[in-house]
Amino acid sequence: MNQNRDFYAGLVATVFFAIVLFVLIPIYVKVPSFIPGFAPPPDMWPRVVAVIGLVMGILALVLAFPKSRKASGETVTSLGFYVNRNKVFITRFVLLLVLFVTFVYGLPVIGFVPATVLLLGILFLMTGNFGNKVWMIGLTIIFPVLLYLLFTEVTHTPFPEGMLFSNSLSDLVTLI
């Protein structure tokens, strides 16, 4: 099963960055009708990051094929055999897809920071590696707040604040 880990990691990265690039950015990053010639549009950096992530995910998928073919000495005779052999990975992949869909639809309701904290927390829990709890908790909470502050204060790219927390995030930014 170890040879499939690279394949599934590439698949998850590809799906995630494809959702960000083709669904989240067009819906949530507003581009004004007029942008001065010297200023990049607000969706430029999110698109750059999403395209780089998408290319890296596709590259991981492509590089996983020769490794998995060489490592597996047995031949797959049917789809049922493949599904039964990789049941854990398929279940995790389906759970990740459900998680990303929930993230996309929950973003307008609870906002970027709480939705990203929940997403990262669940992703860290799904790794099963609890040796670095302090790092996991720190990154889960601090990383979304820093991203929010970077994009809203430095690049002036608005993030969805959500219907539930629309005033509290604005107050937090003004306090900082």
Side-chain angles (χ1 to χ4, degrees):
M1 274 196 215
N2 234 0
Q3 69 269 13
N4 290 333
R5 180 174 285 171
D6 294 338
F7 173 77
Y8 289 114
L11 188 63
V12 168
T14 302
V15 169
F16 174 74
F17 284 109
I19 289 172
V20 169
L21 183 63
F22 299 118
V23 177
L24 293 178
I25 292 174
I27 292 174
Y28 294 113
V29 179
K30 304 294 181 216
V31 179
S33 59
F34 174 73
I35 300 172
F38 59 86
D43 65 341
M44 184 183 103
W45 289 114
R47 283 190 189 278
V48 166
V49 171
V51 167
I52 290 171
L54 187 64
V55 167
M56 288 175 64
I58 292 171
L59 185 63
L61 278 173
V62 169
L63 294 175
F65 275 116
K67 188 189 298 185
S68 67
R69 284 184 151 313
K70 186 179 3 171
S72 72
E74 55 196 46
T75 59
V76 177
T77 56
S78 68
L79 180 63
F81 175 76
Y82 180 78
V83 169
N84 195 21
R85 185 171 162 236
N86 296 300
K87 197 179 298 183
V88 172
F89 290 118
I90 293 171
T91 305
R92 282 184 183 175
F93 179 69
V94 169
L95 284 174
L96 283 174
L97 286 180
V98 169
L99 178 65
F100 289 140
V101 168
T102 306
F103 175 75
V104 168
Y105 286 109
L107 205 58
V109 177
I110 64 172
F112 173 78
V113 174
T116 308
V117 166
L118 289 173
L119 176 72
L120 286 175
I122 293 171
L123 286 176
F124 281 139
L125 286 175
M126 288 181 75
T127 63
N129 183 6
F130 301 112
N132 300 322
K133 288 180 191 173
V134 174
W135 279 101
M136 293 168 81
I137 293 170
L139 286 175
T140 299
I141 295 170
I142 293 171
F143 186 67
V145 172
L146 289 178
L147 272 179
Y148 179 80
L149 290 174
L150 173 76
F151 280 102
T152 55
E153 297 299 316
V154 176
T155 66
H156 302 290
T157 304
F159 276 106
E161 292 181 355
M163 293 181 275
L164 298 177
F165 303 108
S166 60
N167 291 333
S168 61
L169 285 177
S170 300
D171 295 341
L172 175 69
V173 170
T174 55
L175 287 176
I176 294 174

